[in-house]
Amino acid sequence: MLRWHRPLMVSTGLMSVLAVVTAVALVLDDRTLDGLSVWAKPLKFAVSLAIYSFTWAWLLSLQRRERRWGRRAGTVLAVAGVAEVALITFQAARGHRSHFNATTPLDGILFGVMGMMIIGLMVANIVAAVAVLLDRQADGPSTWAVRLGLAISTLGLASGGLMLGPQPGQSVDGGVIGAHTVAAPDGGPGLPLLGWSTVAGDLRVPHFVGMHALQLLPLLPLVLAALSSRFPVLAPERVRQGLTVTAGLVYAGVFGLVLWQAERGQSLIHPDGLTLAAAGVLVLLAIAGVVVSTRARAPRQVPMTTPVPTPTPAAAEAAR
């Protein structure tokens, strides 16, 4: 019987309610910040943390041997995540930036507190990941999906550190320390709601892609198992495991690609030839992985036959 992690489930519920509230506020409040509604950021973070918390509650519930330190790490995840989103929402209500903001003493203090929450979240993520990885999941595909999802999501979470610290031309006196955008100021043209830059690199892209590997990859074995009754090629576990590993490695490649693209100051929606070539290589590797995996079926069973005894010379003579 699953034992759900209560603090993480509470976090899921709170963030779900907050997502609804901020969505309504986004429609009713016409204030903007950096070209987007002041409520766009808390809405995005509320939805993201709701999914993140639920996924961790599920992963920790799968442990066959419960580890107290793993569950405590889950509690830290819940508390740190809720505290950070609460501060983001508070700053949005004030019409102030939440991240990289040192314009006033209060803004600087709040951003410093959020920095501590982020560090706590990262450490707790690693500890909880170790607790989950010490257990083998129900089958090979699920085990590999969780392993790869945890590894990539940890890297995605850590990539947020690239946004911190003074960027070229910034100083404490300027009131802004850190940035999402590479090769352009924050607040320029961006994608609707997401705000990702359409004219320069944006480190929020790899941060988002990496973190949500934890939700997407563990779903794949469930989908493949459901499809195996309709498509016999997916019936062998080793085939589903191969496809899961392929998906995980390709996902890691996509994370690396969008991180490399952002660091080069290139918008996600305006890739150059080099980026497209790298994406093409990933597509070829994905196809090769699918082909190899679907051929990795269980070895054919050779039917057992009863050996025909060889007659002795005496028996052969008697038969004549």
Side-chain angles (χ1 to χ4, degrees):
M1 183 178 179
L2 295 181
R3 183 182 176 187
W4 292 92
H5 192 283
R6 185 172 297 176
L8 284 167
M9 291 305 295
V10 170
S11 171
T12 302
L14 289 174
M15 292 302 103
S16 299
V17 172
L18 182 60
V20 174
V21 172
T22 51
V24 173
L26 186 145
V27 175
L28 300 179
D29 190 345
D30 59 0
R31 289 180 299 160
T32 61
L33 184 64
D34 293 335
L36 294 171
S37 168
V38 294
W39 298 106
K41 190 166 190 174
L43 172 59
K44 290 185 295 183
F45 271 76
V47 172
S48 180
L49 184 61
I51 298 171
Y52 186 77
S53 298
F54 180 81
T55 304
W56 268 114
W58 171 64
L59 288 173
L60 290 171
S61 74
L62 297 178
Q63 290 186 290
R64 299 177 183 179
R65 177 187 173 187
E66 185 177 77
R67 296 172 175 83
R68 289 185 180 179
W69 50 273
R71 294 190 71 83
R72 287 172 182 167
T75 301
V76 174
L77 282 172
V79 172
V82 170
E84 184 185 4
V85 177
L87 290 176
I88 291 171
T89 305
F90 175 71
Q91 288 291 74
R94 298 174 65 218
H96 288 216
R97 284 186 175 190
S98 53
H99 289 80
F100 321 130
N101 190 357
T103 305
T104 68
L106 178 59
D107 290 327
I109 291 171
L110 292 179
F111 182 46
V113 172
M114 280 194 288
M116 290 188 289
M117 293 299 101
I118 293 170
I119 293 173
L121 193 70
M122 290 180 61
V123 173
N125 187 91
I126 294 172
V127 173
V130 172
V132 173
L133 290 175
L134 288 175
D135 270 356
R136 178 179 173 83
Q137 304 306 314
D139 55 22
S142 298
T143 298
W144 277 103
V146 170
R147 287 174 178 172
L148 292 167
L150 286 171
I152 299 168
S153 68
T154 301
L155 292 175
L157 189 62
S159 69
L162 298 173
M163 306 178 202
L164 304 176
Q167 303 297 323
Q170 291 181 345
S171 67
V172 176
D173 296 334
V176 178
I177 302 297
H180 301 129
T181 313
V182 179
D186 276 353
L191 295 176
L193 187 60
L194 293 172
W196 297 344
S197 177
T198 56
V199 296
D202 198 313
L203 291 168
R204 288 173 293 186
V205 178
H207 187 57
F208 176 90
V209 171
M211 279 190 63
H212 290 288
L214 185 61
Q215 289 81 43
L216 295 176
L217 288 178
L219 289 176
L220 181 59
L222 302 178
V223 173
L224 292 177
L227 292 175
S228 62
S229 59
R230 180 171 296 183
F231 301 99
V233 68
L234 298 175
E237 181 178 312
R238 62 193 299 180
V239 171
R240 299 196 304 276
Q241 180 170 312
L243 293 173
T244 300
V245 172
T246 297
L249 295 178
V250 171
Y251 196 108
V254 171
F255 165 71
L257 176 60
V258 294
L259 177 59
W260 177 55
Q261 185 182 15
E263 287 283 20
R264 290 161 57 217
Q266 185 180 114
S267 170
L268 176 70
I269 62 172
H270 295 298
D272 61 9
L274 194 58
T275 301
L276 291 174
V281 171
L282 285 176
V283 171
L284 292 177
L285 290 176
I287 294 172
V290 170
V291 171
V292 171
S293 299
T294 52
R295 290 183 176 179
R297 304 186 185 188
R300 295 180 61 185
Q301 298 292 328
V302 179
M304 298 295 293
T305 57
T306 304
V308 179
T310 304
T312 61
E317 185 65 27
R320 291 179 183 177

